[in-house]
Amino acid sequence: MPQVSLRNIYKVYPNAKNSAPAVCDFNLEINDGEFVVLVGPSGCGKSTTLRMIAGLESITTGEIYIDGKLINNLPPKDRDIAMVFQNYALYPNLSNFENMAFGLRLRKVEKYKINELVKVKARELEIENLLDRQPKDVSGGQRQRVALGRAIVRQPKVFLMDEPLSNLDARMRVQTRIEIMKLHNDLNATTVYVTHDQIEAMTMGHRIVVMHGGLIQQVATPEDLYNKPANKFIGSFIGSPPMNFVFGRLLSGDDGRIFFSNSTMYIPFPEKRITKGIDKYIGTDVVGGIRPEYLSLRQGEERNEDEFFAKVDVTELVGADRYVYLDINQSNRESLVARVPAKDKFSPGLRVIGQADMDNFHIFDRNTEQRIY
């Protein structure tokens, strides 16, 4: 049985400038022990959804269940959840020990047990030597560990985390992200994690819920989300650099093959990719999509059937990779970015030949922007 169930959830703010719901028809089943990440751009409704689970926001319509129990009208303290906030939400006048112990004292847990639980979790988080200090006397990363410790010692049914790493510097963000993943592996606790950072989402989540405009766009594993985006928005949002998009048409060749065609490209799909239902799109305008790592480049003057000409605009060296930005149609300023090994050097202005891996070339409906192929 799912541990957390959200059914037909809507959130409408009565004084909002527009009448669109902040969260619209949200449905999700979260299994026991699962780590689910809500990700999307600012204002997409992800934090509002988390706050509704926590009881910090009212639900306009819909139902939320934890362990099969309807919790719509339960106050936050009775929901058996623990929340970790972006800004730590620690009491500045209390020691780190007292901050971690606070929830246990409210539950009237015995003093000896509080001491034991706090010290054990502080040792696991490597903050045992900081318990006598106040939050102002430790670093941002250490404060976030104290906040995590406060949530963990309560041993709740569900952990809710609202952008807990956003106030940390890049190095500390990576370190704390790894610590949260280790903690989850140890505790196997049901966790709902909100972030706008796709790297956090892709590295941490068992499943990822992508939101946009208050709506769920796709729920999938990180692999499926990256390799099989449900629509053009997800292709553009997930991945760095994002997926390339080019306008074109699907055409059928005399030999029965299907081609993606525009002023620069006339590229056949492999026979194994010809699927049922694609016939209705033959001869129609579509949007092609391909990830930068599935574009290869070479120098030369003569191209093969499945290749195209392009001009290098600029390049970026990013560690072991080089991003090569290409102009493929000077009149329309259409562009692509290829992700190639750093050793492959292409100078700006150079004419190159590109090849797309058609096993990983996607087709999106030009009107609905849903992936069709």
Side-chain angles (χ1 to χ4, degrees), residues 11-22:
K11 176 63 181 180
V12 180
Y13 290 101
N15 298 321
K17 291 182 180 179
N18 59 55
S19 57

Side-chain angles (χ1 to χ4, degrees), residues 218-357:
Q218 187 172 0
V219 182
T221 64
E223 293 82 4
D224 280 349
L225 201 66
Y226 190 80
N227 295 317
K228 300 174 183 177
N231 56 42
K232 189 168 172 272
F233 167 76
I234 294 170
S236 66
F237 185 76
I238 298 295
S240 181
M243 181 176 283
N244 293 293
F245 297 105
V246 286
F247 292 103
R249 293 172 72 87
L250 284 185
L251 300 177
S252 179
D254 294 337
D255 56 2
R257 290 187 297 172
I258 294 177
F259 293 78
F260 178 82
S261 174
N262 59 24
S263 60
T264 307
M265 303 173 176
Y266 189 71
I267 306 174
F269 284 94
E271 281 189 30
K272 62 184 178 182
R273 286 206 65 196
I274 307 305
T275 56
K276 187 177 180 181
I278 197 65
D279 292 354
K280 66 179 180 180
Y281 290 97
I282 300 298
T284 64
D285 292 334
V286 294
V287 179
I290 189 163
R291 298 250 178 230
E293 61 269 29
Y294 294 122
L295 286 174
S296 57
L297 303 177
R298 67 178 179 87
Q299 295 186 46
E301 292 300 323
E302 294 191 12
R303 66 178 179 88
N304 298 318
E305 178 189 45
D306 59 349
E307 295 178 320
F308 58 90
F309 287 114
K311 181 173 75 71
V312 177
D313 273 345
V314 295
T315 67
E316 292 179 329
L317 181 62
V318 187
D321 297 319
R322 188 180 301 275
Y323 301 158
V324 183
Y325 294 85
L326 305 166
D327 181 351
I328 60 169
N329 188 332
Q330 287 185 306
S331 60
N332 294 326
R333 296 300 297 166
E334 286 187 301
S335 60
L336 297 171
V337 55
R339 184 175 186 166
V340 302
K343 63 180 177 60
D344 295 348
K345 298 180 180 180
F346 296 95
S347 303
L350 182 69
R351 190 180 192 227
V352 295
I353 295 172
Q355 184 178 48
D357 179 353

Side-chain angles (χ1 to χ4, degrees), residues 149-163:
R150 180 182 56 188
I152 293 165
V153 294
R154 286 182 49 202
Q155 299 177 317
K157 287 181 179 176
V158 181
F159 286 98
L160 305 177
M161 299 189 183
D162 190 5
E163 306 225 32

Side-chain angles (χ1 to χ4, degrees), residues 22 100-101 105 111 117 136 173 183 190 297 309 330-331 349:
M100 287 181 65
R105 294 202 192 285
K111 186 175 180 180
L117 282 169
K136 65 181 176 63
R173 231 179 3 251
L183 279 169
T190 305
L297 303 177
F309 287 114
Q330 287 185 306
S331 60

Side-chain angles (χ1 to χ4, degrees), residues 82-106:
M83 191 155 179
V84 180
F85 295 91
Q86 170 181 349
N87 61 356
Y88 319 126
L90 299 173
Y91 295 103
N93 59 320
L94 298 182
S95 68
N96 292 325
F97 179 94
E98 289 299 330
N99 268 287
M100 287 181 65
F102 190 82
L104 298 175
R105 294 202 192 285
L106 286 181

